[in-house]
Amino acid sequence: MQRSAVRKAAYFGLSLGLIGTLVAYADSVGSPSPATLTAVGTLTPRTRAVISGEYAYLLGQSEVVAANIMPQKFAASPTGEAVLIAAYKSRPFRNVVLPPDKVDASATEFNLIHWDSRTRTAKTLYREMNPVDAPVRVQQIEWIPQTNIALVVLMQVTVSSNQQALEPQFSYNLLRVDAGTGRSTRIADLASGLQVPNSAPGAVSASPSQPMAYVRTQEGIAAKTGPLFRSSLRVYTPQGFRAPISLPDGVSDLSWMSDGKSVSSDRIVERNAEGKIAVRKVLTVVNLETGQVTQPDKLPIIPKADRTKEARMPRDSWAVNVAAGSATLQDPDGKPQTTSALWLRAATPPKKDSVPAATPKNPISADSLLIATNARVEMELATETTAAILFTRDGTLCAAPVFRLPVTAFEEALRGVQRTATMSNAKQLGLALMMYSQDYDENLPQNGAGVADQIGPYVRNPSLFQNPGTGENGFVFSYPGPSAQSQIADPMKTQLGYVSGPGGRAIIWADGHVTWEDMP
């Protein structure tokens, strides 16, 4: 009960912090086409969100993670807050000048890029040249739980030629990447000089819960009958490799057990007397902490206290997804052009045959929000309150931030920003009325429908006349007269007009000050 209360208090604090950031109202509120959110999470009066369940999901402005790259593989960190990206980057690089005879247009560089969704910073943790005759590819990326360390299996193909044909050779290396320190180190040669590619020359598997992984190597057995291969395991922890563990010949298909410290297999692959490949049911259990290998009759019972579950990713609780679709844009000649598009929408959209709800006068939600056009989604990352959608477009990797907060908190924050915008608009319109009066011998405009047109030249933005929430006209000049300011007995108590806003209106007084009045 106490832990639950602490978690709720912490989450409430995070929500308040996010709302505090959102309500940092910027000058963009007066823009005729305000954006939804800036990259730092600024809320504007016309922000719309995808409402799904009890949460509002707001889309931020996309930003560049890395330019001029070709992503190959993405692997999210154990916490789901960061990602390790294997990618190729074209050469020559910016600020690097090469002699004309040294420029190879086909040469690229292989990169491992770490991007953190919280800080929104990208760091290249590993790079090497990727020549055409010795290309590098990533076979596997495994993050070790409870750490910032990832194990990466690199495959390099070396092509040599003789008089008859090209002869490729395949080599495999294990790379340790520490996102915390930014260091990358080759820690093992898994195989070299292979004539054919091997999908598992040194298969790596990280524990689902414990800070460890194993590297499995195997070699074929040339006997006509019996097991087909011989395997061994090397356990890796952040402190380094432990002593190798030899497995019984023919053991295959290892699975992690519920303690996250042991693996098991229920089969041995062998060749029978007729020369055919067969599978024999034999249970094998390996304790990776002690190195003990047993072949019991049945799987041992893991004590409840030792059982661990794979951590639930924060993204699993988000009720929105990314949908591919299309969008119609206008070209410079005003002609419609259709392009591919990525949209953020609720995870459970309404049925097509359902009766649509009446559109509210001041809508705060949208069925979907446009993320990007001409793009392809690559990965989604999420924490409790923020997420990031990674997508590629024109050789550039980008990230679109998404903010989540309770619907009630979003509505309250939006009303506050809209009210602030209403007060600001009214203040500027009151100043425009004063400037008009100075140019017309201290006379105010005549009451009527044309007041907005009369003070229009003194207004920097026509949107100041609008209700910030609805976009409709919200300005009313209600002062009946007389027009001469000198005849106004008490300017502080004389209303000139108002600008309507959410739940009320901002009143413009004859001395230029503005107050808020709640309306039923």
Side-chain angles (χ1 to χ4, degrees):
M1 180 70 72
Q2 187 176 3
R3 289 184 179 179
S4 177
V6 171
R7 278 198 300 267
K8 289 181 180 178
Y11 183 71
F12 181 69
L14 287 172
S15 297
L16 288 180
L18 178 58
I19 294 171
T21 303
L22 293 174
V23 240
Y25 173 46
D27 292 337
S28 60
V29 296
S31 170
S33 302
T36 51
L37 285 171
T38 68
V40 294
T42 303
L43 192 66
T44 68
R46 302 300 298 281
T47 295
R48 298 295 178 261
V50 173
I51 306 296
S52 186
E54 59 183 1
Y55 290 101
Y57 298 86
L58 297 83
L59 183 64
Q61 182 178 353
S62 298
E63 57 195 54
V64 173
V65 174
N68 302 318
I69 67 169
M70 296 178 291
Q72 181 198 345
K73 193 180 290 288
F74 295 80
S77 66
T79 60
E81 297 173 340
V83 60
L84 190 62
I85 307 158
Y88 300 106
K89 190 165 186 175
S90 301
R91 289 185 62 91
F93 302 106
R94 186 172 55 184
N95 300 329
V96 175
V97 179
L98 299 177
D101 60 334
K102 299 294 184 181
V103 175
D104 183 355
S106 62
T108 59
E109 185 183 67
F110 173 75
N111 284 251
L112 286 175
I113 302 169
H114 179 265
W115 186 76
D116 192 318
S117 66
R118 298 164 302 172
T119 61
R120 302 202 194 147
T121 55
K123 295 181 180 179
T124 300
L125 304 184
Y126 179 83
R127 56 160 54 105
E128 70 172 88
M129 283 300 299
N130 188 58
V132 176
D133 57 352
V136 178
R137 289 190 63 84
V138 169
Q139 287 284 101
Q140 197 176 358
I141 300 177
E142 289 282 325
W143 284 92
I144 300 179
Q146 304 179 33
T147 73
N148 290 320
I149 297 172
L151 298 180
V152 181
V153 178
L154 296 180
M155 178 186 74
Q156 187 161 25
V157 185
T158 304
V159 181
S160 60
S161 60
N162 57 25
Q163 295 180 352
Q164 282 79 27
L166 297 177
E167 294 181 351
Q169 291 187 340
F170 301 88
S171 300
Y172 298 84
N173 294 278
L174 186 62
L175 191 68
R176 179 188 191 271
V177 179
D178 190 330
T181 63
R183 297 181 60 185
S184 299
T185 310
R186 290 185 185 241
I187 58 175
D189 293 328
L190 303 178
S192 60
L194 300 183
Q195 299 299 316
V196 294
N198 190 331
S199 60
V204 179
S205 181
S207 168
S209 58
Q210 302 300 315
M212 65 167 59
Y214 70 76
V215 180
R216 177 184 176 184
T217 57
Q218 72 179 36
E219 58 181 6
I221 299 176
K224 294 182 179 180
T225 60
L228 293 181
F229 44 78
R230 182 172 292 115
S231 303
S232 65
L233 300 181
R234 296 186 68 186
V235 178
Y236 187 84
T237 69
Q239 290 72 41
F241 278 112
R242 295 176 180 171
I245 303 172
S246 297
L247 300 181
D249 291 349
V251 170
S252 67
D253 298 336
L254 296 172
S255 300
W256 285 96
M257 298 179 66
S258 60
D259 62 353
K261 305 172 184 177
S262 306
V263 293
S264 65
S265 171
D266 62 356
R267 62 186 63 192
I268 286 180
V269 181
E270 58 189 6
R271 195 182 303 276
N272 60 23
E274 289 79 25
K276 295 182 179 180
I277 297 176
V279 175
R280 180 159 51 93
K281 290 291 184 179
V282 177
L283 181 61
T284 302
V285 177
V286 184
N287 186 318
L288 298 182
E289 282 199 323
T290 64
Q292 184 181 22
V293 180
T294 59
Q295 290 186 319
D297 294 333
K298 58 181 180 180
L299 284 173
I301 297 175
I302 305 295
K304 190 173 183 180
D306 295 337
R307 298 176 193 172
T308 59
K309 293 183 179 180
E310 189 171 355
R312 187 169 183 263
M313 300 295 282
R315 177 67 181 86
D316 298 337
S317 66
W318 285 56
V320 288
N321 56 27
V322 180
S326 61
T328 301
L329 307 175
Q330 286 189 345
D331 63 15
D333 297 326
K335 298 179 180 179
Q337 300 289 341
T338 302
T339 182
S340 60
L342 297 178
W343 303 87
L344 181 72
R345 69 177 184 182
T348 54
K351 297 180 180 179
K352 293 182 179 180
D353 56 354
S354 62
V355 179
T359 303
K361 186 176 181 180
N362 181 18
I364 63 170
S365 64
D367 294 334
S368 56
L369 299 173
L370 180 63
I371 300 171
T373 59
N374 191 28
R376 183 183 69 183
V377 65
E378 300 290 356
M379 171 170 275
E380 300 173 46
L381 300 174
T383 64
E384 289 295 335
T385 57
T386 60
I389 300 166
L390 294 172
F391 62 91
T392 49
R393 177 173 59 189
D394 298 329
T396 299
L397 179 63
C398 302
V402 182
F403 302 88
R404 179 177 80 165
L405 65 162
V407 173
T408 52
F410 167 63
E411 292 175 340
E412 182 179 352
L414 185 60
R415 281 194 298 269
V417 171
Q418 290 175 342
R419 182 173 297 186
T420 300
T422 306
M423 294 285 286
S424 175
N425 290 354
K427 186 74 174 176
Q428 294 182 63
L429 292 178
L431 179 60
L433 287 168
M434 297 301 104
M435 294 171 64
Y436 175 93
S437 173
Q438 291 176 5
D439 288 348
Y440 288 89
D441 299 327
E442 303 297 326
N443 287 309
L444 293 168
Q446 294 290 330
N447 192 329
V451 174
D453 293 333
Q454 294 179 60
I455 66 173
Y458 305 93
V459 176
R460 66 173 186 173
N461 196 323
S463 66
L464 297 178
F465 294 102
Q466 299 175 358
N467 180 316
T470 64
E472 300 173 352
N473 178 57
F475 172 67
V476 174
F477 185 75
S478 58
Y479 179 62
S483 61
Q485 281 190 290
S486 59
Q487 298 183 35
I488 300 178
D490 192 348
M492 291 185 62
K493 297 182 179 179
T494 303
Q495 295 185 19
L496 297 184
Y498 62 84
V499 178
S500 60
R505 59 189 182 183
I507 299 175
I508 306 171
W509 300 90
D511 67 342
H513 83 282
V514 174
T515 60
W516 179 264
E517 180 183 21
D518 289 322
M519 301 293 292

